[in-house]
Amino acid sequence: ENIVYKAQCMACSQMNKKALYIGETSRSAYVRGKQHAIAINDPTRQQQNAYARHIIEQHPQQDPNFTMEIVNIFKYPLERQIAEDVQIATMKCDIILLFFNEL
């Protein structure tokens, strides 16, 4: 619980591209990973999930395949949120998977 995590699209990796998502959650990595998987397979949630939108836009004919790893574990939410921002700002990749809420 209380983690910053990194996910990588393996379909992009097979094409020598690095597509990354950085996230933070107060939940466990297992629970957050399951939420992403549910969103990928639920048409009503796909537009609100960076993984699902990436699959739809980049790999519509392929099954989703992401690896997910914990970057760090934190005691306080503010530390976790700042660490997520730093990870996003400093990551080196070809494609950044982001989600922006529409207002």
Side-chain angles (χ1 to χ4, degrees):
E1 297 179 348
N2 292 310
I3 61 167
V4 169
Y5 62 96
K6 173 173 57 174
Q8 183 169 352
C9 174
M10 298 313 294
C12 285
S13 183
Q14 291 172 350
M15 296 184 302
N16 295 318
K17 292 183 182 178
K18 191 171 188 179
L20 293 177
Y21 175 83
I22 303 292
E24 61 87 16
T25 184
S26 61
R27 300 177 197 96
S28 71
Y30 176 79
V31 168
R32 189 62 185 120
K34 290 294 269 183
Q35 289 174 323
H36 282 294
I38 289 168
I40 288 169
N41 295 307
D42 181 349
T44 65
R45 297 182 186 186
Q46 289 174 343
Q47 289 303 313
Q48 290 88 27
N49 184 275
Y51 289 30
R53 283 194 10 228
H54 176 75
I55 294 298
I56 291 166
E57 293 169 5
Q58 302 293 322
H59 314 291
Q61 305 302 318
Q62 296 177 335
D63 290 331
N65 187 5
F66 289 89
T67 61
M68 183 174 161
E69 67 180 84
I70 295 171
V71 174
N72 212 335
I73 302 170
F74 296 89
K75 186 174 181 180
Y76 302 105
L78 184 58
E79 287 179 322
R80 184 182 74 232
Q81 293 161 350
I82 291 169
E84 177 198 32
D85 289 344
V86 170
Q87 285 288 319
I88 291 169
T90 60
M91 73 173 144
K92 293 177 177 32
C93 63
D94 301 305
I95 301 168
I96 300 172
L97 282 63
L98 294 175
F99 171 72
F100 294 103
N101 282 328
E102 292 183 12
L103 300 176

